[in-house]
Amino acid sequence: MDYAAMSTTSYQKTLEALMVTAQVPARVNKFTAVYTKTDDPDLKAHLRSAIDRLHSNEYYEGVAATSAGDRLDLDHAQWKPLRLFCEGAIASQKPEWQVIAERHGWQAPSR
């Protein structure tokens, strides 16, 4: 999937923060920036968990060290749920408000 071609959403920004090679504080800042801007409570819960994990020793089980920082193993059990959540939202090609609304039972009016 070509994530760069998609419009930038909270889900896209989260995936970018997951994929970038970064030091822990930089990644926390990226997640926090998305957390403060998104209206999606489920994404906020995933991000809160990821931020907490980054501050714990568990974090180092799901990374590969590089000289520029850490690269996350996106198939590791601690990162995969967030990755899949964001990929699903992006794949729907719907605006964030619609993803949230549909998750809570809203349906678009039939034409």
Side-chain angles (χ1 to χ4, degrees):
M1 177 175 276
D2 182 10
Y3 295 116
M6 303 290 298
S7 62
T8 303
T9 64
S10 296
Y11 311 110
Q12 172 64 29
K13 289 179 182 178
T14 301
L15 277 180
E16 290 169 2
L18 278 168
M19 290 184 211
V20 70
T21 299
Q23 299 288 334
V24 171
R27 195 179 311 276
V28 168
N29 288 343
K30 288 177 183 294
F31 284 153
T32 301
V34 176
Y35 181 92
T36 60
K37 291 184 180 176
T38 187
D39 292 321
D40 186 335
D42 292 342
L43 179 57
K44 282 188 174 204
H46 277 289
L47 289 169
R48 174 79 309 198
S49 177
I51 291 166
D52 290 346
R53 200 171 300 120
L54 288 170
H55 288 297
S56 76
N57 288 335
E58 282 179 52
Y59 166 70
Y60 294 99
E61 295 172 15
V63 300
T66 68
S67 59
D70 294 325
R71 185 178 59 252
L72 299 180
D73 173 0
L74 299 181
D75 287 323
H76 191 279
Q78 55 183 21
W79 306 113
K80 190 172 184 175
L82 177 56
R83 179 181 59 85
L84 293 176
F85 177 81
C86 291
E87 287 175 344
I90 291 168
S92 74
Q93 297 184 345
K94 297 174 183 172
E96 186 173 327
W97 71 265
Q98 190 172 351
V99 171
I100 298 165
E102 287 177 353
R103 194 179 308 132
H104 289 83
W106 178 83
Q107 293 180 348
S110 57
R111 295 181 182 211

